[in-house]
Amino acid sequence: MGWSAKVSPCTVLLCVISSLLLSGVPIGAQAQLSTLPLPEHVTLGSGDLVIDQGLKVSLEGFTDPRLDKAKERFLKRLSEETGILHWPEATAGQPDFVIRTGHASAPVEALGEDESYHLEVTPGRVLLQAPNPLGVMHGLQTFLQMVEVTDHGFVVPSMTIDDKPRFPWRGLMIDTGRHFIPLDVLRQNIDLMEAAKLNVFHWHLSEDQGFRMESKVYPLLQEKGSDGLYYTQEQAHELIAYARDRGIRVVPEFDMPGHAASWFVGYPELASGNGPYSIIRKWGIFDPAMDPTRESTYQFLDRFIGEMTGIFPDAYFHIGGDEVNGKEWDANPRIQAFMREHHLKNNAALQAYFTSRVEKLVTKYHKITVGWDEVLQPDTPRDVVIQSWRGQESLAVAARQGNRGILSWGYYLDLNQPASQHYGVDPLAGAAAELTPEEQKLILGGESAMWSEFMTPEIITGRIWPRAAAVAERLWSPKDVTDTASMYRRLAIFSERMPWYGGATAGINRAMIQRMVGNADPSSLLVLASVVEPPKEYTRESLATYGSYSPLNKLVDAVPAESDTAREFNELAARIAAGKASREDFEQAERWLQIWRDNNAVLQPLLTGSSVTKDLAPMSVNLKETATIGLEALSRIGQHHSFSTSEEEKQVAALDRLKAPEAVLIDAVVPGVALLVQKARN
Amino acid sequence: MGWSAKVSPCTVLLCVISSLLLSGVPIGAQAQLSTLPLPEHVTLGSGDLVIDQGLKVSLEGFTDPRLDKAKERFLKRLSEETGILHWPEATAGQPDFVIRTGHASAPVEALGEDESYHLEVTPGRVLLQAPNPLGVMHGLQTFLQMVEVTDHGFVVPSMTIDDKPRFPWRGLMIDTGRHFIPLDVLRQNIDLMEAAKLNVFHWHLSEDQGFRMESKVYPLLQEKGSDGLYYTQEQAHELIAYARDRGIRVVPEFDMPGHAASWFVGYPELASGNGPYSIIRKWGIFDPAMDPTRESTYQFLDRFIGEMTGIFPDAYFHIGGDEVNGKEWDANPRIQAFMREHHLKNNAALQAYFTSRVEKLVTKYHKITVGWDEVLQPDTPRDVVIQSWRGQESLAVAARQGNRGILSWGYYLDLNQPASQHYGVDPLAGAAAELTPEEQKLILGGESAMWSEFMTPEIITGRIWPRAAAVAERLWSPKDVTDTASMYRRLAIFSERMPWYGGATAGINRAMIQRMVGNADPSSLLVLASVVEPPKEYTRESLATYGSYSPLNKLVDAVPAESDTAREFNELAARIAAGKASREDFEQAERWLQIWRDNNAVLQPLLTGSSVTKDLAPMSVNLKETATIGLEALSRIGQHHSFSTSEEEKQVAALDRLKAPEAVLIDAVVPGVALLVQKARN
């Protein structure tokens, strides 16, 4: 899925502008909250709960070690958010925080388990009530997100919340196949998932470029297919327990019959070609595919699935199924003969045959199959769940057949699109909106997906977050929670708190920036970094050549997918263009543009000294030119002295050129400057 | 030791100025290196080794799992420093990196083991040769510190290094008694110790405020004495193994007979008073002390030391021995009778009796005793090692008696003194310089000490580092390596790389700053943060009331001990005062002073909204006033228009007032402004 999946075309300019126009209606009390996702129902009270003395937390009703651990984690995070150490001895000043739990949750977290909670905060007391530990954990996160500092201490405002998720399947997929992502980084992401109330970690474990899970039955899978970079079964058990402690399911994915070259290095007999096979070190879609015609393939998969389902307790098991190009099948006379014999008229039919065989094996081990769009056929068994990278249309087709579905189209975080764009994608919109209410229930939710062609352990967390939290709100909060400005306000708060959510930081990676300039002052590079973005969708690969071991240590790797500064500037420019700008807006726009114009003179000499900054020279000039155009437009607007048509055409042409990627980066303030030029014309 | 130890008086002004004047002579090739500590011998070659394709690292000669792990760690850090992923398959472009090891190191790292290494870097090849793995590990760190980015890639310059430490005992003590410091933070510090070639982690494990080590023989020690915050024996084993993998010994300290109130909560029969005892929640020196007169005390300690020496394999065992105020002894008639009966004429004699009894128990378990100054008596056994918080004089006295010593006076990092001040303290200076060469050999080295009254897990690493690296250089590098400017240049490089040395950052703690202002823009608070410092020595306790559970979440806790900006400004002011300033110096001084003067207007409204910033209002005004005086002085200097005597007196009086702590902080640019005022007078 990572490589070739296409999303609806959207130029940078259009995306940014549409994100500015997209905004829902603030819904009362919710609009004042800082939580992400927003809860279903809130009633604000008066006064607030002061927590400067700590809290006296007690567990009532059902209790188990997981709740004890949740309480400890809560107190630790509360300490981190406030700098107030937990007082071991209850004191007079400590308000009661009562957690009342109804009963146990399922031994293995089940899809659709009750995740609701009721939270009452008053100046003297907190009550958190939930049917089971899942709701308790969500309620604790809500409370933590509402902590704020005031002139009278760290407080949580008085309020009553009744909350539950809109969708039962709210996931994050991490591709650990293309780049190995160590366990500490996965744990960090699971901590952040807990904060955002996501509940499914989809662990993409095998790819052409690496087989990442230890098999004891077939040890050559990891021994020959991973460069030594794989998870042991013991580590998988640990991560599953870690996730369960946070109310998160773990769904493993072993991609087949395609995307499987790494399997064939140790077991070439599984493949449809002649081999020998080696780990693929490039990105793309490749020919190797399992041989669906041999019984030995299914005997292998039977034992393999038996082993893996013994490790992963979740009821769902993902078999991939995407992007088989069929070239090995076409080239193999034995496979062609098999197809004729079995009346399989094309490769899609052959894959359907393979899927149905594998699905039976998954069922044999009492698991439910999940697969990407391609596994859906008219006769696909009704319990197979379709994960769609193609869009709501696929899910609608599936639902009409009675198959359940999960949306990932629109939630591909590796495409570097703005949070607002992901936020605007609803699993029940588009073709899915046409479904009957009963059919709509078959759409279980969605999953953000992070494919890892351009992700290393130091990059990936800052690229997943905070945008995955915007998707989390789409999947948790009521359908009418769609105010983009509110989302961005709360996303900034979420980002600020990320150091306490698993030790991650959002925004520009400063250590990477410092590395780029050696021991020099990085300030001018940071100025450039603050307004550039990585290219969107799949254009990066066309701008330079990359493979598994390409260093990812340039500016494109150190900046977030979406520039906050550029977004704010573009919003400001939109206000100016709409005639709604304040004097401060004009001043701020001018200040920014001056900084960007003048930065080039300081930055240029710095760039030449380092092999990883040299190619930024033209981009720094581009920013200067963009800013110069912006300042000219601003000045014309201020003087009510319009551009002539020819002047405007010249500026528009220049901006068109400046819009093009340079050093594998885009100048993200071009859209705002374009608005200023347009305004200066009128 | 943490609380009451006193160091030589040194006002802020004098310290800063003396640090500016203190500077040694650059010693050839060493001056161009970026390593900290500097190696003993360096010969620079020509060209450099380009590592953009990774390195082909091979182990020759002796090898063991520890070397394999060191190699893996090396490759991981090299990846982090360059962003270049390690290539699993050797390629044509990879230079050879040959590690040749002579033989095994001792099964338990021994004091004085050979730590030398020989490192040759040429454009095509690296050779690292060492008698044993300890030297290999040091050589790998040296190599990592020399990686730099150039216009032709990440490189290490060609050179040949022969290196070994000046002192065999180069330590860092962390007090985990007063505030519990979790294992991940200790591991982070051990990673940083490895980077700085320190080789002893002194683990201060018990205090009046907490007993932090699990005892299975006497479980009430941790059960009643730790608030549940202690290390299990399993965790201790893990940390010891972690340290050994990095060439670092672990010396445990159990402080007795004083600083031991936490022991008595579970075992009051050990104490000299009547009890009952509870964990002490304040800072200071307290009365509780073990009863040295009862045989049961020694029976307890016999079993306890037997248990603990079974956990800690190091040959040395620290029994504390500091700061017994003797009040419980004075008040106990039975103890008084014992002293008369045994002709122990005062409390010092009683403690000496105690020490000699405990020392025999330590010897019984084949360990060597270490204790603070107070354990030294004329008849102290020769093998007892004295750790001095009092100064080289104590070590000289010890050495003349034949006792070995370690210097910690001058290396107390919790006193918030500048790196230059610690750097200026030599274990063989002062009274120790008078010793014979044979006696000097008894001075084994030194230890930085971090007492934790004002340290929490989020604060401590940023307060220990980078200053502990300056002390590390004093203990490793030749005696004549004393150029403070060079040290600060390299300390800045060390700080920049800290994110890769265990994931820590130096400088202002930005997450804490953000927490202080909630969701507001922290820029103006960061401006203030950049030029203030925590109060020095023991003044903090006199400025506010603190105890174990006081929140440490204010500006004083979020800033480093030494402000880089203030130091640079003060150096710049010293150049102006000395008539050696460039035009850029003047401009930079003016720019800074204007920023500081104008910051108050932006910062004031922000401060009132948060309970943890409110008290900063006067400090922000102070900075404005300091800067205003500085700008006036600068203008006078520029115009050659001297202050009159009365004008100068007024300014000096104002600066005297501005020098006083405010909101438990000091305005660290006052010394520089004072120099400007002085210059403007002449």
Side-chain angles (χ1 to χ4, degrees):
Chain A
M1 304 305 318
W3 169 244
S4 66
K6 294 281 176 282
V7 295
S8 62
C10 169
T11 67
V12 177
L13 187 61
L14 280 173
C15 287
V16 171
I17 293 172
S18 70
S19 83
L20 298 178
L21 304 175
L22 181 83
S23 71
V25 183
I27 48 167
Q30 289 180 342
Q32 301 173 43
L33 299 183
S34 54
T35 59
L36 190 78
L38 282 177
E40 193 180 40
H41 294 291
V42 187
T43 316
L44 291 180
S46 61
D48 48 35
L49 174 86
V50 180
I51 55 181
D52 282 359
Q53 307 291 307
L55 294 169
K56 199 156 53 190
V57 183
S58 56
L59 294 168
E60 293 184 1
F62 172 78
T63 162
D64 68 357
R66 189 160 64 143
L67 281 168
D68 290 331
K69 282 188 271 185
K71 173 184 157 184
E72 288 309 312
R73 217 160 53 242
F74 168 74
L75 288 170
K76 180 167 183 283
R77 190 159 294 172
L78 192 65
S79 271
E80 290 170 343
E81 287 195 341
T82 59
I84 295 163
L85 302 167
H86 176 56
W87 292 45
E89 291 168 346
T91 64
Q94 292 185 322
D96 276 310
F97 189 119
V98 175
I99 297 171
R100 200 172 289 154
T101 312
H103 51 75
S105 60
V108 172
E109 189 172 331
L111 178 68
E113 264 194 276
D114 193 336
E115 297 181 80
S116 69
Y117 66 93
H118 169 83
L119 178 65
E120 281 175 43
V121 180
T122 58
R125 186 166 183 273
V126 183
L127 172 66
L128 170 58
Q129 206 161 347
N132 67 51
L134 299 175
V136 170
M137 289 190 274
H138 293 314
L140 292 174
Q141 296 302 317
T142 300
F143 184 90
L144 287 167
Q145 290 192 351
M146 292 192 307
V147 173
E148 56 186 83
V149 66
T150 67
D151 60 357
H152 56 288
F154 286 92
V155 309
V156 171
S158 289
M159 64 180 73
T160 301
I161 288 180
D162 281 285
D163 197 14
K164 65 174 194 296
R166 179 174 167 218
F167 291 105
W169 188 305
R170 305 179 309 281
L172 169 64
M173 188 219 72
I174 296 182
D175 168 12
T176 62
R178 290 181 175 79
H179 275 112
F180 180 73
I181 305 298
L183 279 177
D184 57 343
V185 177
L186 297 183
R187 280 192 293 266
Q188 195 172 56
N189 278 281
I190 286 173
D191 285 343
L192 285 154
M193 288 176 70
E194 183 187 25
K197 299 186 173 68
L198 291 173
N199 69 348
V200 180
F201 171 54
H202 171 168
W203 197 353
H204 186 81
L205 279 161
S206 67
E207 263 306 332
D208 291 313
Q209 294 83 0
F211 188 96
R212 306 302 183 191
M213 184 68 214
E214 178 192 29
S215 169
K216 292 179 180 171
V217 178
Y218 296 108
L220 298 184
L221 285 170
Q222 72 272 12
E223 283 171 19
K224 300 215 165 176
S226 78
D227 293 325
L229 298 170
Y230 65 92
Y231 311 99
T232 66
Q233 295 192 2
E234 181 61 30
Q235 289 172 329
H237 289 305
E238 281 169 23
L239 196 73
I240 292 162
Y242 191 89
R244 173 166 170 80
D245 275 346
R246 287 152 182 80
I248 294 166
R249 299 163 43 207
V250 177
V251 174
E253 177 184 354
F254 296 96
D255 208 345
M256 56 184 94
H259 285 290
S262 64
W263 305 50
F264 308 152
V265 190
Y267 301 97
E269 63 274 21
L270 280 175
S272 305
N274 292 323
Y277 290 91
S278 56
I279 295 176
I280 293 179
R281 307 256 179 236
K282 294 181 291 185
W283 309 135
I285 298 183
F286 301 96
D287 302 345
M290 289 181 189
D291 186 338
T293 67
R294 283 197 287 225
E295 282 308 304
S296 58
T297 300
Y298 302 106
Q299 285 155 11
F300 182 104
L301 291 174
D302 187 350
R303 290 189 65 196
F304 176 77
I305 293 170
E307 183 185 19
M308 292 301 138
T309 52
I311 297 165
F312 292 92
D314 199 80
Y316 293 79
F317 190 87
H318 203 306
I319 60 165
D322 53 317
E323 297 182 326
V324 184
N325 70 14
K327 289 189 187 168
E328 281 198 349
W329 294 345
D330 297 340
N332 185 323
R334 195 171 36 71
I335 293 176
Q336 292 302 312
F338 181 92
M339 287 169 72
R340 284 189 299 274
E341 187 183 334
H342 290 74
H343 310 294
L344 299 165
K345 61 177 189 296
N346 56 24
N347 287 336
L350 181 60
Q351 186 175 345
Y353 168 79
F354 174 82
T355 304
S356 75
R357 293 288 304 267
V358 175
E359 194 272 335
K360 285 188 185 69
L361 298 175
V362 173
T363 304
K364 172 179 166 185
Y365 293 105
H366 313 294
K367 302 290 183 187
I368 300 164
T369 299
V370 188
W372 296 101
D373 301 67
E374 292 92 326
V375 305
L376 185 70
Q377 296 292 330
D379 56 353
T380 300
R382 288 297 80 89
D383 68 342
V384 171
V385 178
I386 306 304
Q387 177 166 18
S388 179
W389 57 271
R390 288 179 176 156
Q392 292 102 333
E393 175 66 27
S394 293
L395 298 186
V397 171
R400 289 199 188 93
Q401 284 189 204
N403 285 88
R404 294 173 300 167
I406 310 159
L407 187 67
S408 276
W409 172 86
Y411 303 143
Y412 267 33
L413 301 174
D414 54 310
L415 302 190
N416 294 313
Q417 290 155 331
S420 55
Q421 189 170 334
H422 301 301
Y423 193 64
V425 174
D426 194 296
L428 295 182
E434 314 290 316
L435 297 172
T436 67
E438 277 312 300
E439 286 165 348
Q440 285 193 343
K441 281 190 192 144
L442 296 174
I443 295 179
L444 302 173
E447 273 190 11
S448 294
M450 179 47 93
W451 303 101
S452 66
E453 284 91 344
F454 300 108
M455 297 297 129
T456 61
E458 73 175 346
I459 296 169
I460 193 167
T461 309
R463 281 284 169 87
I464 293 174
W465 305 93
R467 291 178 303 149
V471 179
E473 174 153 296
R474 175 61 46 244
L475 300 173
W476 176 284
S477 302
K479 193 182 173 78
D480 59 352
V481 174
T482 54
D483 180 345
T484 303
S486 162
M487 179 274 287
Y488 271 119
R489 180 180 65 76
R490 291 173 293 109
L491 206 63
I493 299 171
F494 190 92
S495 295
E496 280 161 17
R497 298 186 180 196
M498 277 177 55
W500 294 298
Y501 299 160
T505 50
I508 298 167
N509 187 321
R510 286 173 171 262
M512 289 177 73
I513 295 283
Q514 184 69 61
R515 174 169 70 202
M516 292 175 68
V517 300
N519 308 323
D521 178 354
S523 306
S524 57
L525 183 55
L526 281 166
V527 169
L528 180 62
S530 72
V531 291
V532 293
E533 291 179 355
K536 310 299 158 182
E537 302 179 26
Y538 296 98
T539 49
R540 181 167 180 181
E541 187 75 8
S542 64
L543 300 170
T545 306
Y546 295 98
S548 303
Y549 289 94
S550 299
L552 298 174
N553 59 2
K554 294 200 170 185
L555 191 57
V556 58
D557 304 300
V559 298
E562 183 177 15
S563 156
D564 285 335
T565 304
R567 182 173 53 77
E568 283 166 26
F569 171 79
N570 291 333
E571 286 172 2
L572 200 158
R575 285 199 296 279
I576 292 174
K580 293 178 179 170
S582 65
R583 198 180 136 189
E584 286 71 35
D585 282 342
F586 275 95
E587 287 170 358
Q588 176 64 56
E590 191 177 12
R591 221 162 23 233
W592 262 330
L593 290 164
Q594 285 166 349
I595 291 169
W596 301 334
R597 180 196 59 197
D598 299 341
N599 192 59
N600 183 56
V602 187
L603 179 55
Q604 282 296 343
L606 183 65
L607 297 177
T608 55
S610 157
S611 60
V612 286
T613 58
K614 271 195 293 192
D615 63 352
L616 292 169
M619 181 46 115
S620 177
V621 173
N622 280 5
L623 180 61
K624 177 187 165 183
E625 289 178 9
T626 312
T628 304
I629 295 172
L631 283 166
E632 173 67 14
L634 210 58
S635 151
R636 294 294 188 101
I637 296 167
Q639 295 161 25
H640 302 287
H641 170 44
S642 297
F643 280 134
S644 68
T645 305
S646 71
E647 280 170 334
E648 192 213 5
E649 278 168 3
K650 199 176 138 233
Q651 306 285 43
V652 167
L655 289 175
D656 264 351
R657 187 179 53 75
L658 294 167
K659 213 168 61 181
E662 186 62 61
V664 198
L665 283 165
I666 58 170
D667 175 349
V669 295
V670 168
V673 169
L675 292 174
L676 296 181
V677 168
Q678 200 179 356
K679 174 74 176 177
R681 171 76 184 98
N682 303 323
Chain B
M1 306 305 316
W3 168 244
S4 67
K6 293 283 177 283
V7 295
S8 62
C10 167
T11 67
V12 176
L13 186 60
L14 279 171
C15 288
V16 172
I17 294 171
S18 71
S19 81
L20 299 179
L21 303 176
L22 181 83
S23 70
V25 182
I27 47 167
Q30 289 180 343
Q32 302 174 40
L33 299 182
S34 54
T35 58
L36 191 77
L38 281 177
E40 194 181 37
H41 295 291
V42 187
T43 315
L44 292 181
S46 61
D48 47 34
L49 174 86
V50 180
I51 54 181
D52 281 1
Q53 307 291 308
L55 293 170
K56 198 157 54 192
V57 182
S58 56
L59 294 168
E60 293 184 0
F62 172 79
T63 163
D64 68 356
R66 190 161 62 144
L67 281 169
D68 291 330
K69 282 188 272 185
K71 174 184 156 182
E72 287 311 312
R73 218 161 52 241
F74 167 75
L75 288 171
K76 180 167 183 284
R77 190 159 295 170
L78 192 66
S79 271
E80 290 170 341
E81 287 195 342
T82 59
I84 296 164
L85 301 167
H86 175 56
W87 293 44
E89 291 170 349
T91 64
Q94 292 186 323
D96 276 309
F97 188 119
V98 175
I99 297 172
R100 200 171 291 152
T101 312
H103 52 74
S105 60
V108 173
E109 189 171 331
L111 178 69
E113 264 192 276
D114 194 336
E115 297 181 79
S116 69
Y117 66 92
H118 169 84
L119 178 65
E120 282 175 41
V121 180
T122 58
R125 186 165 184 272
V126 183
L127 172 66
L128 170 58
Q129 206 161 349
N132 68 51
L134 299 176
V136 170
M137 288 191 274
H138 293 314
L140 291 174
Q141 295 303 316
T142 300
F143 184 90
L144 288 167
Q145 290 192 351
M146 293 191 306
V147 173
E148 55 186 82
V149 66
T150 68
D151 59 358
H152 55 286
F154 285 92
V155 309
V156 171
S158 289
M159 65 180 75
T160 302
I161 288 180
D162 281 285
D163 198 14
K164 64 176 193 297
R166 181 175 167 216
F167 291 105
W169 189 305
R170 305 178 309 281
L172 169 65
M173 189 219 72
I174 296 182
D175 169 13
T176 62
R178 289 178 175 82
H179 275 113
F180 180 73
I181 306 297
L183 279 176
D184 58 343
V185 178
L186 297 183
R187 278 192 293 265
Q188 195 172 57
N189 278 280
I190 285 173
D191 285 343
L192 286 155
M193 289 177 69
E194 183 187 25
K197 300 188 172 67
L198 292 173
N199 69 349
V200 180
F201 172 54
H202 171 168
W203 197 355
H204 186 81
L205 279 161
S206 68
E207 264 305 333
D208 290 314
Q209 293 84 1
F211 188 95
R212 305 301 181 192
M213 184 67 217
E214 177 192 30
S215 170
K216 292 178 178 169
V217 179
Y218 297 109
L220 298 184
L221 285 170
Q222 73 273 11
E223 284 171 19
K224 299 215 165 177
S226 78
D227 292 325
L229 298 170
Y230 65 92
Y231 311 98
T232 65
Q233 295 191 2
E234 180 62 30
Q235 289 172 329
H237 289 305
E238 281 169 21
L239 197 73
I240 292 162
Y242 191 89
R244 174 168 169 79
D245 273 346
R246 287 152 182 79
I248 294 166
R249 299 163 43 209
V250 177
V251 175
E253 177 184 356
F254 296 96
D255 208 345
M256 57 184 93
H259 285 291
S262 63
W263 306 49
F264 307 152
V265 189
Y267 300 98
E269 63 274 20
L270 280 174
S272 305
N274 291 322
Y277 291 91
S278 56
I279 295 175
I280 293 178
R281 306 261 179 233
K282 294 180 292 187
W283 307 136
I285 298 182
F286 301 96
D287 302 344
M290 289 182 187
D291 187 340
T293 70
R294 283 198 287 224
E295 283 308 306
S296 58
T297 300
Y298 301 106
Q299 287 156 10
F300 182 104
L301 290 175
D302 187 352
R303 290 189 66 194
F304 175 77
I305 292 170
E307 183 186 19
M308 293 300 139
T309 52
I311 297 166
F312 293 92
D314 199 79
Y316 293 78
F317 191 86
H318 203 305
I319 61 166
D322 55 316
E323 298 182 325
V324 184
N325 72 12
K327 287 187 188 170
E328 280 199 348
W329 294 345
D330 296 341
N332 184 326
R334 195 172 37 70
I335 292 176
Q336 292 302 311
F338 180 92
M339 286 169 72
R340 282 189 300 275
E341 189 185 330
H342 290 76
H343 311 294
L344 298 165
K345 62 176 190 292
N346 56 26
N347 286 336
L350 180 60
Q351 185 175 346
Y353 168 80
F354 175 82
T355 303
S356 76
R357 292 290 304 267
V358 175
E359 192 273 334
K360 284 189 185 70
L361 298 174
V362 173
T363 304
K364 173 180 167 184
Y365 293 104
H366 314 292
K367 301 290 182 188
I368 300 165
T369 299
V370 188
W372 296 100
D373 301 67
E374 292 94 325
V375 305
L376 185 71
Q377 296 291 330
D379 56 352
T380 300
R382 288 298 81 92
D383 69 342
V384 172
V385 177
I386 306 303
Q387 178 166 19
S388 179
W389 56 273
R390 287 178 176 157
Q392 292 100 335
E393 175 64 28
S394 293
L395 297 184
V397 171
R400 289 200 187 91
Q401 284 190 201
N403 286 88
R404 294 173 299 167
I406 309 159
L407 187 67
S408 276
W409 172 87
Y411 304 142
Y412 268 34
L413 301 174
D414 54 311
L415 302 189
N416 293 316
Q417 290 155 332
S420 54
Q421 190 169 335
H422 302 302
Y423 194 63
V425 174
D426 193 297
L428 295 182
E434 314 290 316
L435 296 171
T436 67
E438 279 311 302
E439 286 166 347
Q440 286 193 341
K441 283 189 188 144
L442 296 174
I443 295 178
L444 303 173
E447 272 189 12
S448 294
M450 180 47 94
W451 302 99
S452 66
E453 284 91 343
F454 300 109
M455 297 298 128
T456 61
E458 74 175 344
I459 296 170
I460 193 166
T461 309
R463 281 285 170 85
I464 292 175
W465 304 94
R467 291 178 302 149
V471 178
E473 173 153 297
R474 176 60 46 246
L475 300 172
W476 176 283
S477 303
K479 193 184 172 77
D480 59 351
V481 174
T482 54
D483 180 346
T484 303
S486 162
M487 179 274 287
Y488 271 119
R489 180 179 66 76
R490 290 173 295 110
L491 206 62
I493 299 172
F494 190 94
S495 295
E496 281 161 15
R497 297 186 178 195
M498 279 176 56
W500 295 297
Y501 299 159
T505 50
I508 298 167
N509 186 319
R510 286 175 170 259
M512 291 177 72
I513 296 283
Q514 185 68 62
R515 174 169 71 201
M516 292 176 69
V517 300
N519 307 325
D521 178 353
S523 307
S524 57
L525 184 55
L526 281 166
V527 169
L528 180 64
S530 72
V531 291
V532 293
E533 291 178 355
K536 309 298 155 181
E537 302 180 26
Y538 297 98
T539 49
R540 180 167 181 181
E541 187 74 5
S542 64
L543 301 171
T545 306
Y546 295 98
S548 304
Y549 288 96
S550 300
L552 298 175
N553 58 2
K554 294 200 170 184
L555 191 57
V556 58
D557 304 300
V559 297
E562 183 176 14
S563 155
D564 285 335
T565 305
R567 182 174 53 77
E568 284 167 26
F569 171 78
N570 291 334
E571 286 171 1
L572 199 160
R575 284 199 296 279
I576 292 173
K580 293 178 179 168
S582 65
R583 196 180 138 188
E584 285 70 34
D585 282 342
F586 274 95
E587 286 170 359
Q588 177 64 54
E590 191 177 13
R591 217 157 32 227
W592 261 331
L593 290 164
Q594 285 166 349
I595 290 169
W596 301 334
R597 179 196 61 197
D598 299 342
N599 191 59
N600 183 58
V602 187
L603 180 54
Q604 282 297 341
L606 183 65
L607 298 177
T608 55
S610 157
S611 61
V612 285
T613 58
K614 272 197 291 194
D615 63 353
L616 291 170
M619 182 45 113
S620 176
V621 173
N622 280 4
L623 180 62
K624 176 186 167 184
E625 290 179 8
T626 312
T628 305
I629 295 171
L631 283 166
E632 173 67 14
L634 210 57
S635 151
R636 294 294 188 101
I637 295 167
Q639 297 162 23
H640 302 286
H641 170 45
S642 298
F643 281 133
S644 67
T645 305
S646 72
E647 281 170 334
E648 191 214 5
E649 279 170 2
K650 200 177 139 232
Q651 306 284 44
V652 168
L655 290 175
D656 265 352
R657 186 177 54 73
L658 294 167
K659 213 168 63 181
E662 186 63 61
V664 199
L665 282 166
I666 59 170
D667 174 349
V669 295
V670 168
V673 170
L675 291 174
L676 295 181
V677 167
Q678 201 179 351
K679 174 72 174 177
R681 170 75 183 99
N682 302 324

